[in-house]
Amino acid sequence: MDEERNSRHEFNDGEDKEQKIKISITPAGAAFLGLALVFVLYQFGGALLTLLIFGFEIDKADVNAVRLLTAGGQILLILLPSLLLAKFIYTDVTSILKFKVPEKKEIFLFVIGMIIITPLLQNYLYIQNYLITKAAENYGAIKSIKEIVDQLDKLLESAYGSLLVSNSIFEASLIIFIIAVVPAICEEVFFRGYVLSSFQLKYSPFLSALITGLFFGIYHFNPYGLIPLIALGTYFGYAAYKSESIFVPMILHFLNNFFAVTAYLILGEQELISSNVVPEKDVLVYFISLVVLIILFAAFVFYVNRKYKLKEEQTKGEL
């Protein structure tokens, strides 16, 4: 123990660099502290800020003002606390937040993974909602729960959908900035930067990515999209861990939101932004597609793991 009583914790992935914690708290404790703080700030503080600015008649407020408040809330109540927590708790903020410029081929590699996992999760969503609908038809308890969840889903979809109505190129650009750019930066610095790195100092990389993905899904308050969001968040964590760069999941997050929003702006299909979708085709088609895509994604992960292992061995050999 040194004079500042700093605790040293090594990364579980076998890297030889260490992180120092300034205060008397475990890395997992630092992660949960950040999760609790940002949850309270963003959910309750954000709601209070909205009421103070727009009052109770937010539906009558100028939509562009609401959009700007949404972006400001993410910056002020997610990004800023992430940076302050990292600075206050850790000595090496750059490593904790993974501020490392990735190689172009790394970005391209993980974008390929996004191309696979996006339809995979969409197929899962169709099958999940189909099974829930069938179960609700046969069991009263499930039907009652589904009706409550449907009301919540409609409420969230209505609030979210109002932000996506565009009447000009300026509004479309603003929507893309608010929905794709800002969350990609703010949420990734928090989840895949501060939270993931904190968990990684205590747990294995996979478990850390999974736990972070779990909270990522919960924070979005999307009942039907919970499991896909957890899976997507876990993949973002995997990409951040392998590349050691926060910019890779930022780009993936941006692309995910950008294509969904752009497709909605062009086509106007509500299904593109809704997670409460039921398949119109035979569900067997989606099941077969899901199995094929899972196999393809597993092969992708195997390839990525092998590629990085060979890269690590080559680096050690050069040393």
Side-chain angles (χ1 to χ4, degrees), residues 50-51 54-62 66:
T50 302
L51 288 174
F54 298 113
F56 289 96
E57 297 183 340
I58 189 172
D59 55 318
K60 296 180 181 179
D62 180 73
V66 176

Side-chain angles (χ1 to χ4, degrees), residues 37-52:
L37 180 63
V38 168
F39 179 84
V40 172
L41 285 174
Y42 189 64
Q43 299 301 333
F44 297 100
L48 180 60
L49 188 62
T50 302
L51 288 174
L52 289 173

Side-chain angles (χ1 to χ4, degrees), residues 11 17 78-79 82-83 86 93-103 106-107 110 180-198 200 212 216 233 235-255 308:
F11 277 107
K17 57 183 179 181
I78 296 180
L79 179 61
S82 305
L83 299 174
V93 176
T94 300
S95 294
I96 284 293
L97 297 183
K98 299 182 178 69
F99 286 150
K100 170 194 163 187
V101 178
E103 298 178 10
E106 285 184 300
I107 298 172
F110 288 107
V181 177
V182 175
I185 296 172
C186 299
E187 293 180 12
E188 290 310 311
V189 168
F190 177 60
F191 284 106
R192 257 61 64 175
Y194 173 78
V195 175
L196 177 64
S197 293
S198 296
Q200 242 180 273
T212 306
F216 177 74
Y235 176 65
F236 289 165
Y238 173 73
Y241 161 66
K242 284 297 184 181
S243 66
E244 297 181 343
S245 171
I246 194 63
F247 300 109
V248 172
M250 273 186 190
I251 293 169
L252 299 180
H253 196 147
F254 166 77
L255 291 175
Y308 275 93

Side-chain angles (χ1 to χ4, degrees), residues 51-94:
L51 288 174
L52 289 173
I53 295 175
F54 298 113
F56 289 96
E57 297 183 340
I58 189 172
D59 55 318
K60 296 180 181 179
D62 180 73
V63 67
N64 285 328
V66 176
R67 288 167 180 155
L68 291 174
L69 179 64
T70 301
Q74 286 233 336
I75 295 169
L76 183 64
L77 305 175
I78 296 180
L79 179 61
L80 183 59
S82 305
L83 299 174
L84 292 176
L85 282 167
K87 182 66 176 177
F88 178 69
I89 294 175
Y90 296 101
T91 57
D92 192 350
V93 176
T94 300

Side-chain angles (χ1 to χ4, degrees), residues 136-239:
E137 292 175 358
N138 296 293
Y139 300 98
I142 295 178
K143 181 180 180 181
S144 298
I145 295 172
K146 185 178 184 301
E147 289 174 351
I148 295 172
V149 173
D150 284 344
Q151 290 299 317
L152 175 62
D153 187 71
K154 286 180 180 178
L155 183 65
L156 294 172
E157 192 175 300
S158 175
Y160 184 68
S162 64
L163 297 177
L164 299 180
V165 178
S166 171
N167 298 307
S168 66
I169 295 177
F170 169 77
E171 277 196 305
S173 302
L174 182 60
I175 290 168
I176 290 172
F177 177 75
I178 302 297
I179 303 299
V181 177
V182 175
I185 296 172
C186 299
E187 293 180 12
E188 290 310 311
V189 168
F190 177 60
F191 284 106
R192 257 61 64 175
Y194 173 78
V195 175
L196 177 64
S197 293
S198 296
F199 279 132
Q200 242 180 273
L201 290 169
K202 179 66 176 178
Y203 306 117
S204 69
F206 173 75
L207 183 58
S208 300
L210 183 60
I211 296 173
T212 306
L214 174 64
F215 282 103
F216 177 74
I218 292 172
Y219 270 47
H220 281 78
F221 284 100
N222 188 331
Y224 286 105
L226 177 62
I227 292 178
L229 281 167
I230 292 172
L232 194 63
T234 302
Y235 176 65
F236 289 165
Y238 173 73

Side-chain angles (χ1 to χ4, degrees), residues 117-135:
I117 199 173
T118 299
L120 186 159
L121 295 177
Q122 189 63 40
N123 277 274
Y124 165 81
L125 200 58
Y126 281 130
I127 295 170
Q128 169 197 274
N129 293 348
Y130 172 82
L131 294 175
I132 291 174
T133 301
K134 289 299 180 182

